[in-house]
mmCIF file of all heavy atoms in Angstrom:
data_model
loop_
_atom_site.group_PDB
_atom_site.id
_atom_site.type_symbol
_atom_site.label_atom_id
_atom_site.label_comp_id
_atom_site.label_asym_id
_atom_site.label_seq_id
_atom_site.Cartn_x
_atom_site.Cartn_y
_atom_site.Cartn_z
ATOM 1 N N ASN A 1178 91.644 53.525 6.804
ATOM 2 C CA ASN A 1178 91.843 53.478 5.354
ATOM 3 C C ASN A 1178 93.075 52.690 5.016
ATOM 4 O O ASN A 1178 94.092 52.729 5.696
ATOM 5 C CB ASN A 1178 92.133 54.886 4.823
ATOM 6 C CG ASN A 1178 90.825 55.757 4.791
ATOM 7 O OD1 ASN A 1178 89.764 55.163 4.845
ATOM 8 N ND2 ASN A 1178 90.963 57.059 4.650
ATOM 9 N N THR A 1193 82.612 33.447 28.255
ATOM 10 C CA THR A 1193 83.523 32.897 29.242
ATOM 11 C C THR A 1193 83.897 31.491 28.942
ATOM 12 O O THR A 1193 83.185 30.793 28.212
ATOM 13 C CB THR A 1193 82.988 32.998 30.659
ATOM 14 O OG1 THR A 1193 81.791 32.318 30.736
ATOM 15 C CG2 THR A 1193 82.895 34.495 31.008
ATOM 16 N N ILE A 1213 74.758 27.634 21.678
ATOM 17 C CA ILE A 1213 74.777 28.008 23.070
ATOM 18 C C ILE A 1213 75.259 26.886 23.909
ATOM 19 O O ILE A 1213 74.825 25.732 23.783
ATOM 20 C CB ILE A 1213 73.423 28.558 23.553
ATOM 21 C CG1 ILE A 1213 73.102 29.802 22.750
ATOM 22 C CG2 ILE A 1213 73.409 28.839 25.014
ATOM 23 C CD1 ILE A 1213 71.727 30.388 23.139
ATOM 24 N N SER A 1317 88.268 50.146 39.916
ATOM 25 C CA SER A 1317 89.302 50.126 40.953
ATOM 26 C C SER A 1317 89.844 48.702 41.192
ATOM 27 O O SER A 1317 91.048 48.553 41.571
ATOM 28 C CB SER A 1317 88.848 50.757 42.257
ATOM 29 O OG SER A 1317 87.731 50.003 42.803
ATOM 30 N N LEU A 1359 88.970 40.921 17.344
ATOM 31 C CA LEU A 1359 89.353 39.751 18.186
ATOM 32 C C LEU A 1359 88.173 39.431 19.100
ATOM 33 O O LEU A 1359 87.454 40.195 19.694
ATOM 34 C CB LEU A 1359 90.511 40.234 19.153
ATOM 35 C CG LEU A 1359 91.811 40.522 18.405
ATOM 36 C CD1 LEU A 1359 92.895 40.896 19.489
ATOM 37 C CD2 LEU A 1359 92.280 39.326 17.541
ATOM 38 N N ASP A 1403 102.282 36.139 31.386
ATOM 39 C CA ASP A 1403 102.568 35.405 30.137
ATOM 40 C C ASP A 1403 101.907 34.078 29.982
ATOM 41 O O ASP A 1403 101.897 33.537 28.860
ATOM 42 C CB ASP A 1403 104.108 35.200 29.956
ATOM 43 C CG ASP A 1403 104.714 34.385 31.096
ATOM 44 O OD1 ASP A 1403 103.948 33.992 31.984
ATOM 45 O OD2 ASP A 1403 105.944 34.093 30.946
ATOM 46 N N ALA A 1405 99.079 33.222 32.568
ATOM 47 C CA ALA A 1405 98.047 33.245 33.626
ATOM 48 C C ALA A 1405 98.183 32.038 34.565
ATOM 49 O O ALA A 1405 97.211 31.339 34.826
ATOM 50 C CB ALA A 1405 96.672 33.233 32.989
ATOM 51 N N ASP A 1408 100.837 31.491 41.206
ATOM 52 C CA ASP A 1408 102.018 31.008 42.036
ATOM 53 C C ASP A 1408 101.376 30.545 43.352
ATOM 54 O O ASP A 1408 101.408 31.171 44.368
ATOM 55 C CB ASP A 1408 103.020 32.114 42.297
ATOM 56 C CG ASP A 1408 104.221 31.608 43.076
ATOM 57 O OD1 ASP A 1408 104.359 30.418 43.280
ATOM 58 O OD2 ASP A 1408 105.088 32.452 43.350
ATOM 59 N N TYR A 1511 92.809 6.960 66.054
ATOM 60 C CA TYR A 1511 92.684 8.447 65.980
ATOM 61 C C TYR A 1511 93.287 8.825 64.591
ATOM 62 O O TYR A 1511 94.389 8.430 64.255
ATOM 63 C CB TYR A 1511 93.353 9.149 67.079
ATOM 64 C CG TYR A 1511 93.527 10.637 66.936
ATOM 65 C CD1 TYR A 1511 92.316 11.452 67.134
ATOM 66 C CD2 TYR A 1511 94.664 11.253 66.584
ATOM 67 C CE1 TYR A 1511 92.466 12.840 66.938
ATOM 68 C CE2 TYR A 1511 94.792 12.581 66.425
ATOM 69 C CZ TYR A 1511 93.710 13.431 66.604
ATOM 70 O OH TYR A 1511 93.725 14.701 66.422
ATOM 71 N N THR A 1618 84.043 -18.946 59.105
ATOM 72 C CA THR A 1618 83.583 -17.846 58.359
ATOM 73 C C THR A 1618 82.682 -16.862 59.222
ATOM 74 O O THR A 1618 82.455 -15.770 58.832
ATOM 75 C CB THR A 1618 82.722 -18.296 57.159
ATOM 76 O OG1 THR A 1618 81.624 -19.071 57.656
ATOM 77 C CG2 THR A 1618 83.527 -19.063 56.194
#
Side-chain angles (χ1 to χ4, degrees):
N1178 287 344
T1193 57
I1213 294 180
S1317 59
L1359 294 185
D1403 61 356
D1408 184 4
Y1511 171 75
T1618 59

